C-alpha cells in the first residue's frame, strides 16, 4: 500500500478547516509531549573515575585486558590506565597523587613503606620471584651466585631486582658489600 495514497485518503475525509486544525494541534501536542518526555529523562549516572599507574610489563596484562574488555565498567568504575616503566615509577606516580593506584612488585612496596607507612598492598596476583632472573655472559665463567664477589651487578635501586640480588647473596653466604652494585634507571 502506498503511504502517500493512504494519507491522501485520510486528508480527503478531513475536509473542513476545524478538523484539519484539530489534527495539526493534536499532532503538535503529541510531538511536544514526546520531546518533553525524552529530553527530561535523566542521563545515566557517571561512573566513579579511578586512575591506575600501570607498569608496562607482561605482569600487568590483567589490567590491560580488563580495560580492553570493559571489565572495569562492568564493575562500576571508569578506570584510566597510566603507563609507566617499572613498579618504582608507578609507585612514585601514586605517592605523588598522579594516580589513585599503582602496579608494583612486593619489594617496591616494602622499600616504599619505610618512607610512607600509609602505603597498602591491596591485592597480589603475581609473584616477582618467578619474574626476576640474574644473568651473566658466558665469557665471564660465572655459573653460581657465590662467584659474584668482586664483580659489578646492575640492579634498580630499592626494587625487586636489588632485593632479589641481596636475597641470593645471603643464601650463597656471599657478603653483599663484596659485590659492586651498579644502579640503573628503570627504563635502561
Amino acid at each position: 500500500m502506498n503511504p502517500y495514497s493512504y494519507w491522501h485518503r485520510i486528508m480527503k475525509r478531513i475536509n473542513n478547516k476545524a478538523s484539519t486544525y484539530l489534527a495539526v494541534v493534536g499532532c503538535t501536542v503529541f510531538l511536544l509531549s514526546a520531546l518533553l518526555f525524552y529530553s527530561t529523562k535523566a542521563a545515566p549516572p557517571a561512573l566513579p573515575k579511578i586512575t591506575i599507574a600501570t607498569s608496562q610489563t607482561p605482569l600487568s596484562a590483567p589490567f590491560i585486558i580488563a580495560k580492553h574488555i570493559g571489565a572495569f565498567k562492568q564493575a562500576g568504575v571508569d578506570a584510566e590506565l597510566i603507563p609507566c616503566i617499572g613498579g618504582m615509577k608507578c609507585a612514585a606516580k601514586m605517592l605523588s597523587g598522579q594516580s589513585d593506584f599503582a602496579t608494583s612488585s612486593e619489594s617496591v612496596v616494602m622499600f616504599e613503606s619505610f618512607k610512607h607507612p600509609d602505603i597498602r598492598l591491596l591485592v597480589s596476583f603475581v609473584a616477582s620471584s618467578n619474574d626476576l632472573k640474574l644473568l651473566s655472559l658466558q665469557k665471564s665463567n660465572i655459573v653460581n651466585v657465590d662467584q659474584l664477589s668482586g664483580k659489578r651487578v646492575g640492579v634498580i635501586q630499592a626494587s625487586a631486582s636489588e632485593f632479589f640480588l641481596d636475597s641470593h647473596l645471603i643464601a650463597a653466604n656471599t657478603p653483599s658489600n663484596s659485590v659492586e652494585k651498579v644502579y640503573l634507571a628503570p627504563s635502561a
Side-chain angles (χ1 to χ4, degrees), residues 37-45:
F37 174 76
Y38 286 109
S39 67
T40 58
K41 272 194 149 181

Side-chain angles (χ1 to χ4, degrees), residues 130-150:
N130 195 28
D131 180 47
L132 297 171
K133 310 294 183 249
L134 185 58
L135 307 174
S136 69
L137 296 173
Q138 188 175 4
K139 68 181 180 181
S140 71
N141 292 323
I142 297 173
V143 292
N144 294 314
V145 175
D146 59 1
Q147 294 176 302
L148 292 175
S149 229

Side-chain angles (χ1 to χ4, degrees), residues 12-94:
K12 268 186 159 179
R13 289 183 193 157
I14 304 172
N15 54 11
N16 65 34
K17 287 184 180 180
S19 297
T20 303
Y21 176 74
L22 188 58
V24 168
V25 168
C27 287
T28 303
V29 168
F30 173 76
L31 290 173
L32 287 175
S33 299
L35 182 64
L36 183 64
F37 174 76
Y38 286 109
S39 67
T40 58
K41 272 194 149 181
L47 296 175
K49 187 168 178 55
I50 63 167
T51 54
I52 306 170
T54 310
S55 182
Q56 299 302 285
T57 68
L59 299 177
S60 296
F63 288 93
I64 297 164
I65 292 169
K67 175 75 173 171
H68 181 72
I69 65 172
F72 288 112
K73 288 192 177 175
Q74 287 176 352
V77 292
D78 179 13
E80 176 188 356
L81 303 183
I82 301 171
C84 48
I85 297 174
M88 288 183 60
K89 288 191 176 185
C90 291
K93 283 185 183 290
M94 183 191 71

